[in-house]
């Protein structure tokens, strides 16, 4: 990699960290909605990673720790969870949430998922919920998780699937790019929300990181809220990648972008509320 490429990647990482530092309170405040949205997918992820009582579990890109607390409950007082994230602010919320819920088996560590630098072979299971796609080098992130796992240890990651089955995300992205005066971006560009949704890509990545018994499962995760406006409230407060695209706009231009997103997403309003389709991929494997 040349110096110029390395500088672009560093700038992307710094921007990502800064945006999540800002979005941290909004993401945390929406934990009840996120929890309901991802309930089935999260339980399935933890099963597929073999998160069991007494296990030592690594949680990468843990955010405000919603799934970390589920892991802490599953592994029990004899088990242990290490929650890691690039953003100190969001991880501080994870730490506070674990403490407030009474879990003494949770520790946090600020770390880029591509440079975890953990001791080799020390975890029974590893997960990452909606985090791996933000890494510009996901194979390197997977190598780090592979290294941290004991031989035979389980892993499961959750990311968005392909663009045509994630119309909410594609609508948000295309509207944001249009208002920012930027050309549409290839959804599979590394580091983007949908970057790992290309069919077959994740399995190849897991295999090249050294994993065996790799299998990807699709799971529907419709986001049910009272209205498109409630979804936009969540996005405005917590969706760092969209804020990153709109970052240079003034308040009026940004608000025009949010309004257009809300209008376009009303297409998913039903008689009983709003139901935004999302398809997720759960990839499970073993070291
Ligand atoms: C969509 S949130 C998911 C948080 C949490 N896993 C959840 O599902 O509630 C994405 C998280 O990825 C983190 N992140 C982004 N890039 C990262 C990187 N390179 N290394 C580690 N974490 C990263 C962000 O700081 C943010 O907390």
């Amino acid at each position: 990699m040349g110096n110029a490429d390395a500088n672009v990647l560093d700038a992307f990482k710094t921007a990502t960290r800064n945006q999540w530092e800002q979005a941290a309170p909004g993401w945390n405040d929406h934990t009840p909605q996120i929890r309901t949205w991802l309930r089935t997918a999260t339980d399935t992820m933890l099963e597929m990673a073999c998160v069991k009582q007494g296990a030592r579990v690594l949680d990468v890109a843990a955010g405000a720790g919603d799934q970390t607390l589920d892991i802490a409950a599953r592994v029990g007082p004899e088990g242990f969870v290490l929650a890691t994230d690039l953003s100190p602010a969001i991880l501080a919320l994870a730490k506070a949430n674990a403490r407030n819920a009474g879990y003494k088996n949770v520790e946090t560590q600020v770390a880029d998922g591509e440079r975890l630098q953990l001791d080799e072979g020390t975890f029974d299971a590893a997960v990452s919920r909606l985090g791996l796609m933000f890494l510009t080098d996901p194979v390197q992130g997977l190598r780090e998780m592979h290294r941290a796992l004991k031989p035979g240890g389980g892993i499961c990651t959750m990311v968005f699937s392909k663009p045509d089955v994630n119309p909410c995300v594609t609508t948000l992205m295309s509207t944001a790019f249009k208002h920012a005066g930027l050309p549409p971006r290839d959804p599979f560009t590394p580091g983007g929300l949908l970057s790992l949704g290309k069919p077959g890509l994740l399995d190849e990545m897991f295999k090249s990181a050294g994993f065996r018994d790799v299998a990807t499962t699709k799971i529907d995760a419709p986001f049910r809220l009272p209205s498109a406006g409630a979804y936009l409230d969540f996005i405005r407060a917590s969706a760092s990648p969209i804020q990153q695209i709109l970052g240079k706009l003034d308040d009026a231009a940004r608000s025009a972008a949010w309004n257009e997103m809300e209008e376009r997403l009303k297409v998913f309003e039903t008689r009983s509320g709003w139901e935004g389709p999302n398809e997720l991929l759960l990839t499970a494997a073993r070291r």
Side-chain angles (χ1 to χ4, degrees):
M1 191 198 301
N3 278 346
D5 290 343
N7 289 343
V8 169
L9 291 180
D10 281 350
F12 177 83
K13 200 148 287 184
T14 302
T16 301
R17 183 191 297 110
N18 291 343
Q19 280 298 335
W20 280 106
E21 289 286 279
Q22 283 175 36
W27 186 266
N28 188 49
D29 289 348
H30 286 84
T31 296
Q33 292 89 335
I34 296 166
R35 190 167 180 74
T36 306
W37 169 37
L38 298 177
R39 182 69 276 147
T40 308
T42 303
D43 289 343
T44 311
M45 175 182 79
L46 300 184
E47 287 293 315
M48 288 170 86
C50 299
V51 173
K52 298 206 171 95
Q53 215 172 352
R56 283 175 57 83
V57 182
L58 170 63
D59 184 3
V60 174
D66 177 48
Q67 73 292 311
T68 313
L69 269 53
D70 287 337
I71 300 167
R74 273 187 186 236
V75 300
E78 306 300 315
F80 168 75
V81 197
L82 180 65
T84 68
D85 199 280
L86 184 64
S87 154
I90 206 163
L91 205 54
L93 293 166
K95 189 175 187 171
N97 290 335
R99 196 178 48 229
N100 294 339
Y103 291 113
K104 297 196 169 65
N105 55 355
V106 175
E107 282 182 20
T108 56
Q109 185 173 314
V110 175
D112 177 359
E114 291 167 22
R115 291 187 207 112
L116 292 174
Q117 296 176 323
L118 298 168
D119 288 341
E120 184 168 2
T122 49
F123 287 89
D124 299 295
V127 300
S128 184
R129 188 178 86 171
L130 297 184
L132 192 63
M133 67 272 190
F134 295 123
L135 273 52
T136 45
D137 188 351
V139 176
Q140 175 56 25
L142 289 170
R143 273 192 212 110
E144 291 284 286
M145 292 168 91
H146 182 271
R147 187 175 176 282
L149 281 171
K150 296 174 186 172
I155 180 172
C156 187
T157 63
M158 182 196 300
V159 300
F160 286 105
S161 173
K162 53 194 171 89
D164 58 320
V165 286
N166 284 294
C168 302
V169 178
T170 54
T171 300
L172 295 170
M173 298 292 285
S174 63
T175 313
F177 279 124
K178 188 182 85 175
H179 282 262
L182 298 168
R185 193 197 288 164
D186 174 354
F188 303 123
T189 305
L193 272 169
L194 299 173
S195 57
L196 297 180
K198 192 185 269 187
L201 178 64
L202 269 173
D203 286 32
E204 281 313 308
M205 288 181 160
F206 270 69
K207 285 176 197 160
S208 59
F211 285 104
R212 63 185 169 90
D213 302 340
V214 181
T216 293
T217 308
K218 293 176 194 160
I219 188 160
D220 268 331
F223 206 148
R224 296 191 180 92
L225 289 166
S227 63
Y231 180 65
L232 257 294
D233 287 344
F234 162 64
I235 297 298
R236 255 195 302 268
S238 63
S240 146
I242 310 297
Q243 292 160 351
Q244 216 164 317
I245 300 168
L246 300 178
K248 293 203 171 76
L249 299 183
D250 62 28
D251 287 352
R254 205 175 303 128
S255 132
W258 295 129
N259 288 342
E260 185 179 336
M261 288 174 203
E262 183 171 337
E263 279 310 308
R264 291 181 63 192
L265 287 165
K266 280 186 180 164
V267 68
F268 299 117
E269 281 183 348
T270 69
R271 252 183 264 154
S272 53
W274 183 85
E275 186 172 319
N278 288 277
E279 187 180 271
L280 305 171
L281 298 177
L282 294 174
T283 305
R286 291 191 165 277
R287 174 170 178 181

